């Protein structure tokens, strides 16, 4: 399939879910978890940009995104502390 067709189908499905809502609870849970992972990745990105001056770099991967996404700012601080003192 062409990439534009795949992107169009996925975009249409996302719009359909936005307007109709998730039909069952596991889909809603998966959607919320995906959003938290994305928020965690954004937290890590901004930390890496701002912390570059101070030598702080936390790699953006599944585990670190999960910690910073689900725990929020305290999780981000914990990752920095682990990186600074343990590693």
């Amino acid at each position: 399939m062409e990439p534009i067709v795949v992107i169009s189908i996925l975009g249409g499905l996302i719009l359909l879910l936005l307007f109709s809502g998730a039909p069952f609870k596991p889909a809603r849970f998966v959607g919320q978890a995906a959003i938290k992972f994305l928020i965690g990745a954004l937290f890590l990105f901004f930390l890496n940009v701002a912390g570059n001056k101070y030598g702080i770099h936390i790699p953006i991967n599944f585990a670190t995104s999960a910690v910073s996404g689900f725990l929020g700012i305290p999780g981000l601080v914990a990752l920095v502390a682990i990186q600074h003192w343990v590693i």
Side-chain angles (χ1 to χ4, degrees), residues 5-52:
V5 174
V6 173
I7 292 171
S8 299
I9 291 171
L10 289 175
L13 288 173
I14 289 171
L15 284 174
L16 179 69
L17 281 174
L18 282 174
F19 287 120
S20 67
F24 52 96
K25 213 165 198 71
R28 189 171 299 156
F29 175 73
V30 170
Q32 288 175 347
I35 288 172
K36 288 187 184 224
F37 282 120
L38 289 173
I39 289 172
L42 282 172
F43 277 167
L44 289 169
F45 173 75
F46 288 122
L47 173 74
N48 287 337
V49 168
N52 191 22

